Amino acid sequence: MTEATKRKKLLIVERKLEHNRGHHHTQISALSMLLPDHDTNFVAGESYDGFLGAAAGKLAARSVKLARLQSRLQYGNISQRLGAVFGALKSAHTLRLPLSAFGAPLAGICRSLQLGPGDLVIVPTADLDTLESAVELMTMFADRAPRICLRFLNSELGDRNERIRSKRLRTILRKLPTNVFLFTETEELAAYFRENFGMPVEGGFYLPCSMHVAISPSLGSDQGGRFRIGVFGEPRPEKGCQRLADIAAALADLAETGSVPPIDFVIQGSAADFRDGGVYAALQEFLKGERNVFVSPQDNRISPEEFEQLFHSVDAVLLPYQTAIYSLQGSGVVQDAVAAHKPVIHTRGMSMMAFLSHGNGLAATTDREFAEAILRVAANPESFRQATARAAAYFQDALAANPLLRVLDPSLHGQQQGS
């Protein structure tokens, strides 16, 4: 047998992978680097544009829609079931709906790649549809099935109906195959699933995002003496984008009473976001920096190389996130900030505290507290150098102790964390 035939196979399933945006594409390279002894293929969404090369297959959105109708027929109330009947007849002209969103198509892809028990399927952004599909795939393959690892990122699991979501999850867990392994990104989310559903899940499945963990901080670039605070990613409500104008106003008021450097908010968004009617319209008064507080709009559609350069150019990262979402869900920006040795000013009660409790994180609740925290870092950025280095070292250790590796090597179970 040749060395090539001995190599195991890895199939990464990411149906949200379509374009060079967000963190979905970074997960492909991160998993490939984590498992260098595997030959890697990936499955993408139906609109995947090929920027990473050829995909082993694509998953259609329509099948997810039909499977969601099936879940309403099975677990919904009377009105939800009736709605699902009409939806099924309209969309598929039949009530014979698929058992899962993409169990059968994924099984076909696994067969074409000749995946077997020694191989691995990983879904880095898993939800209930994925879990149901994994169980169907296992049923179809029986004892010839590959191992499947699912990583959940939030408590909603892709189904906003709490009652139906709970019923779906409990039903699946009662028949969960032994070779389906469940993980979460954050320890907080794993604890939530264990406590509320008895789910056999392990936390701490982190993957590098846009920034690789640096041994030492970057020196950045000369920004004319300004202290730069970064706000990265799409401006979604749960990220607290509507609070930025009030935080900037509170900061401008405080800056008038003390000797502080000019503060520059480096904010990603589209041009429309900063115009009248846009989510950042209230920041227009700061575009000229007349109160020692500036706003520097940045395009939110830039290349990975441009994003990395922009990230290194800031002195700290601002995360006024809503804890209704982010008390359990993790943030790729937190990982990027820790990897790049940046202090993080964040909402009190956020998850990922294992990353933010090294002296590198400053918690705040009110707009004034956020402003005060920004000023504290701006007054002496060098005082956070050791704390950010400790956080980066922790991140390196967390990546090296990825719980996925214990699936491949059961002898490592004595080192299990977070359960």
Side-chain angles (χ1 to χ4, degrees):
M1 181 178 294
T2 66
E3 183 64 27
T5 58
K6 292 180 182 179
R7 286 177 61 83
K8 297 178 181 178
K9 299 170 186 174
L10 167 65
L11 180 64
I12 303 170
V13 181
E14 183 51 90
R15 64 185 177 88
K16 294 183 179 181
L17 176 66
E18 296 186 341
H19 313 291
N20 189 6
R21 299 284 182 266
H23 296 303
H24 302 303
H25 66 282
T26 67
Q27 296 170 344
I28 306 296
S29 59
L31 286 168
S32 298
M33 292 176 64
L34 182 66
L35 303 171
D37 58 337
H38 287 63
D39 290 326
T40 302
N41 287 279
F42 63 90
V43 175
E46 61 183 339
S47 299
Y48 170 64
D49 63 9
F51 75 98
L52 287 179
K58 297 181 181 181
L59 299 177
R62 183 174 184 271
S63 63
V64 176
K65 178 181 178 181
L66 295 179
R68 193 65 53 85
L69 291 174
Q70 170 66 25
S71 72
R72 269 50 186 167
L73 279 172
Q74 186 173 358
Y75 302 111
N77 56 32
I78 293 178
S79 64
Q80 289 166 334
R81 290 176 180 176
L82 287 174
V85 168
F86 288 119
L89 293 175
K90 180 179 179 181
S91 301
H93 309 291
T94 179
L95 291 179
R96 296 186 64 182
L97 297 170
L99 296 177
S100 71
F102 47 86
L106 186 57
I109 295 170
C110 289
R111 289 193 186 99
S112 69
L113 295 173
Q114 299 182 333
L115 265 63
D119 301 314
L120 194 62
V121 176
I122 299 179
V123 187
T125 310
D127 54 18
L128 272 176
D129 294 324
T130 312
L131 185 53
E132 290 171 342
S133 299
V135 171
E136 183 183 15
L137 185 151
M138 288 294 178
T139 302
M140 297 172 68
F141 271 68
D143 60 354
R144 293 299 303 164
R147 291 167 293 182
I148 299 184
C149 297
L150 309 180
R151 184 178 77 140
F152 302 108
L153 301 183
N154 60 64
S155 60
E156 200 171 76
L157 295 177
D159 193 332
R160 294 184 176 181
N161 188 299
E162 184 175 358
R163 175 177 170 273
I164 294 179
R165 177 172 70 240
S166 178
K167 285 187 174 183
R168 290 176 70 188
L169 182 56
R170 293 184 189 280
T171 298
I172 299 168
L173 291 177
R174 284 196 293 268
K175 56 183 179 182
L176 186 70
T178 56
N179 52 349
V180 174
F181 301 89
L182 308 182
F183 302 93
T184 61
E185 183 177 45
T186 72
E187 299 289 358
E188 291 90 344
L189 184 58
Y192 168 83
F193 282 135
R194 287 194 295 264
E195 293 168 5
N196 288 276
F197 299 99
M199 181 188 288
V201 62
E202 185 173 357
F205 191 157
Y206 295 104
L207 294 172
C209 294
S210 298
M211 310 295 292
H212 295 291
V213 183
I215 298 175
S216 59
S218 62
L219 297 177
S221 55
D222 183 10
Q223 302 297 332
R226 296 183 184 180
F227 177 85
R228 287 163 62 89
I229 179 90
V231 179
F232 296 101
E234 298 285 344
R236 299 199 302 268
E238 64 268 25
K239 290 189 172 185
C241 56
Q242 70 282 356
R243 298 189 62 181
L244 291 184
D246 290 333
I247 293 173
L251 184 59
D253 290 340
L254 290 172
E256 291 176 353
T257 63
S259 177
V260 296
I263 308 293
D264 195 354
F265 282 84
V266 178
I267 303 174
Q268 280 193 290
S270 67
D273 291 330
F274 293 91
R275 292 197 291 260
D276 290 344
V279 66
Y280 291 139
L283 287 168
Q284 290 179 358
E285 65 172 298
F286 298 102
L287 292 178
K288 296 180 180 180
E290 294 178 353
R291 300 178 63 190
N292 212 35
V293 174
F294 297 76
V295 167
S296 297
Q298 305 290 326
D299 194 350
N300 58 358
R301 293 185 177 274
I302 57 179
S303 70
E305 294 77 18
E306 291 171 320
F307 179 83
E308 184 174 352
Q309 183 177 4
L310 179 65
F311 207 100
H312 278 304
S313 76
V314 304
D315 299 292
V317 173
L318 178 64
L319 303 176
Y321 288 4
Q322 294 180 4
T323 54
I325 300 294
Y326 285 97
S327 62
L328 298 175
Q329 178 176 316
S331 167
V333 181
V334 170
Q335 292 187 206
D336 284 340
V338 171
H341 293 241
K342 306 296 182 183
V344 181
I345 300 162
H346 62 89
T347 303
R348 183 174 283 104
M350 273 186 60
S351 66
M352 297 183 75
M353 285 310 299
F355 284 74
L356 298 171
S357 58
H358 304 273
N360 62 314
L362 289 81
T365 301
T366 67
D367 297 331
R368 183 180 176 88
E369 287 175 346
F370 273 104
E372 290 172 342
I374 293 171
L375 288 181
R376 178 182 165 190
V377 183
N380 190 2
E382 287 297 314
S383 66
F384 291 86
R385 185 176 294 274
Q386 290 185 355
T388 57
R390 287 194 298 268
Y394 172 84
F395 191 8
Q396 282 188 315
D397 291 342
L399 292 175
N402 194 307
L404 172 66
L405 300 178
R406 290 189 282 277
V407 172
L408 304 178
D409 186 354
S411 68
L412 298 176
H413 269 286
Q415 303 172 22
Q416 184 168 333
Q417 298 175 348
S419 59

